[in-house]
Amino acid sequence: MINIQPYESPEYFVLILGLLLPIIIGLFYGKRLVNYETLFSLVFLVLTFGGDKWQQGVALIGYVLFELLVIFSYSKYRSKQNQTSVFVAAVLLAIAPLVVVKLTPLFSTNSSIIGFLGISYLTFKTVQMVMEMRDGAIKEFEPVLFVRFLLFFPTISSGPIDRFRRFKKDYQTAPDREKYLCMIDKAVKYLFLGFLYKFILGYFFGKILLPIVSHAALAHKMAFFHTGLSWPLVEYMYTYSMYLFFDFAGYSLFAIAISYLMGIESPMNFNQPFKSHNVKDFWNRWHMSLSFWFRDYVFMRFTFFLMKHKLIKNKLRISQVAYLANFLIMGFWHGVTWYYVLYGAFHAVAIIINDYWLRFKKTHNVPHNRWTEGLAIFTTFNVVCFSFLIFSGFLNTLWFK
């Protein structure tokens, strides 16, 4: 059996679009073919996690059964005494497999046997379920629908991260014909834009230009140590930033396009992030489903915890500590290496500085016009690109190898 990587080859698109035809026809006539959609997802799960990746497939099955048990148990015991303890235990159990996968590289050169493609995004969905059940936003646990949500194939490997209630609303009804035709129109647009981003621009920046500038930066390694500046390193910074955006944004557009063809309006992941006016604005535009997930389930809840227990009295300090916790967790999620952690800390500090600047602007007569707006966009762009240089891990190669 051969393996396929989602959205990586022409054969993949021919296969997925061909098998989507019954779903598209059914939705066009106002009917959701639930049984066929289940078979469709199973086929692609087997093609992705079967063959020489069968261990990932086994890990995926074990993971889903484990998370089902966690959420089912929480749904049964959440109304008992010690509700907070039960809630905390459920969250910790839900994230435990991901924590093991992320920490394994610290102790072994081999990858974790319980790891598989997309475990992070499935964990985000699971934790979301537990927290919204705690809040009362989700009244009852629906195991079959939860599994469909968890294993929704177009977004399983790298998002976007959907919300259960939004997914449920789409999944339990078929869009009317006019709306579905609009969704098809958007899907076609996203497919072509995704091809432009991932296979043309992403390929150019990542496969052609990046190796050239990487080699040049390493060749000028000593110049960087002597002067603190290396123009090839600056070129690498911008090139990597463009590659990161076009590759990931292209992938996200593919996932959203296939979702739309299946009658599911998965959330957008990018909204012209390099037009951001400041770092906070950037996180409202970059990898939005992840950013908003961290905002809702880490930042806001940690802020509420600090306020409820009066651990910090100053509201400004509360937000600053919450930003730091939020982005450090995000950094650790990417990987337990110094450059991922520094990347998270860098963005926390950048947002804190940005908050000070916004408060300063409110109390002082700072001019606002197209020139200052252009300067803000230019500054934000360069701050973000520098953070991506940290994120790339290239400085680790430059300094320690």
Side-chain angles (χ1 to χ4, degrees):
M1 180 187 294
I2 61 170
N3 290 112
I4 56 172
Q5 284 292 104
Y7 315 116
E8 291 292 338
S9 67
E11 294 81 6
Y12 179 86
F13 288 95
V14 170
L15 181 60
I16 198 168
L17 291 174
L19 293 179
L20 271 174
L21 279 176
I23 296 174
I24 295 171
I25 294 170
L27 289 171
F28 180 79
Y29 286 102
K31 184 174 179 60
R32 184 174 290 282
L33 307 178
V34 175
N35 291 332
Y36 181 80
E37 287 186 18
T38 301
L39 178 62
F40 170 85
S41 294
L42 285 174
V43 167
F44 279 93
L45 287 171
V46 170
L47 288 174
T48 303
F49 297 104
D52 58 2
K53 293 188 177 180
W54 65 269
Q55 289 180 316
Q56 286 196 33
V58 172
L60 173 63
I61 294 170
Y63 174 89
V64 171
L65 293 175
F66 174 77
E67 298 295 2
L68 275 171
L69 179 61
V70 169
I71 298 180
F72 176 77
S73 300
Y74 179 66
S75 70
K76 292 296 181 183
Y77 294 102
R78 59 180 169 155
S79 61
K80 307 296 183 184
Q81 293 182 344
N82 299 320
Q83 292 181 26
T84 301
S85 299
V86 174
F87 166 69
V88 171
V91 172
L92 291 177
L93 285 171
I95 66 173
L98 178 61
V99 172
V100 171
V101 169
K102 293 294 183 180
L103 292 180
T104 296
L106 291 178
F107 308 101
S108 173
T109 55
N110 298 320
S111 59
S112 173
I113 60 171
I114 65 171
F116 57 88
L117 180 68
I119 186 173
S120 292
Y121 295 92
L122 269 60
T123 301
F124 291 141
K125 289 181 176 182
T126 304
V127 172
Q128 171 204 145
M129 285 286 295
V130 173
M131 290 190 172
E132 294 201 351
M133 289 173 70
R134 157 84 167 188
D135 296 341
I138 297 176
K139 303 299 182 183
E140 61 177 321
F141 177 47
E142 302 170 84
V144 174
L145 189 57
F146 171 70
V147 172
R148 294 186 189 278
F149 167 66
L150 200 63
L151 299 180
F152 183 59
F153 187 76
T155 63
I156 190 172
S157 58
S158 294
I161 307 165
D162 208 346
R163 303 298 174 94
F164 177 76
R165 286 177 292 158
R166 202 217 59 75
F167 176 87
K168 177 182 177 180
K169 183 179 177 182
D170 280 2
Y171 194 82
Q172 291 188 328
T173 59
D176 60 60
R177 182 171 297 182
E178 183 179 353
K179 181 178 180 181
Y180 186 59
L181 288 174
C182 182
M183 292 174 71
I184 290 176
D185 182 63
K186 289 181 179 179
V188 173
K189 173 187 172 183
Y190 294 154
L191 281 173
F192 278 100
L193 191 59
F195 274 105
L196 172 64
Y197 278 15
K198 185 171 178 63
F199 294 120
I200 297 177
L201 295 174
Y203 181 85
F204 171 73
F205 284 108
K207 301 297 183 181
I208 297 176
L209 202 55
L210 195 61
I212 296 172
V213 297
S214 173
H215 179 77
L218 290 172
H220 289 77
K221 184 175 180 178
M222 296 311 298
F224 171 76
F225 286 121
H226 286 305
T227 65
L229 178 66
S230 167
W231 287 115
L233 184 61
V234 175
E235 292 171 355
Y236 179 92
M237 178 182 78
Y238 289 127
T239 303
Y240 179 80
S241 298
M242 294 302 102
Y243 161 68
L244 184 65
F245 168 69
F246 287 118
D247 184 74
F248 194 18
Y251 173 94
S252 295
L253 286 168
F254 291 144
I256 293 166
I258 301 303
S259 299
Y260 274 39
L261 292 176
M262 296 180 71
I264 305 292
E265 293 185 279
S266 293
M268 295 296 293
N269 236 0
F270 295 90
N271 179 24
Q272 300 179 322
F274 294 135
K275 287 186 177 180
S276 304
H277 291 75
N278 54 58
V279 177
K280 186 176 289 186
D281 185 30
F282 170 79
W283 281 106
N284 287 328
R285 294 167 175 264
W286 176 272
H287 203 172
M288 294 185 293
S289 65
L290 176 72
S291 174
F292 296 161
W293 190 96
F294 270 91
R295 178 197 65 191
D296 294 343
Y297 300 111
V298 178
F299 176 81
M300 295 301 296
R301 290 169 190 272
F302 188 64
T303 298
F304 177 74
F305 176 83
L306 293 176
M307 294 176 66
K308 180 181 178 181
H309 295 278
K310 299 179 180 179
L311 299 177
I312 302 175
K313 295 182 179 180
N314 187 298
K315 290 184 178 180
L316 177 60
R317 296 290 176 267
I318 289 174
S319 67
Q320 291 172 346
V321 171
Y323 280 134
L324 189 60
N326 184 76
F327 282 99
L328 282 177
I329 291 172
M330 186 184 290
F332 276 110
W333 165 68
H334 281 102
V336 188
T337 59
W338 70 266
Y339 45 86
Y340 288 141
V341 177
L342 181 59
Y343 168 79
F346 179 89
H347 272 280
V349 172
I351 284 188
I352 291 170
I353 293 173
N354 178 70
D355 275 357
Y356 276 119
W357 168 245
L358 292 178
R359 287 182 173 83
F360 178 84
K361 285 178 66 177
K362 284 184 178 180
T363 56
H364 295 75
N365 190 24
V366 177
H368 178 79
N369 52 53
R370 62 177 182 173
W371 300 107
T372 57
E373 187 173 332
L375 178 61
I377 293 172
F378 175 77
T379 302
T380 303
F381 173 73
N382 282 279
V383 168
V384 166
C385 286
F386 181 73
S387 76
F388 288 155
L389 174 63
I390 297 172
F391 178 84
S392 71
F394 186 71
L395 293 177
N396 190 64
T397 302
L398 192 68
W399 289 341
F400 301 117
K401 293 184 180 180

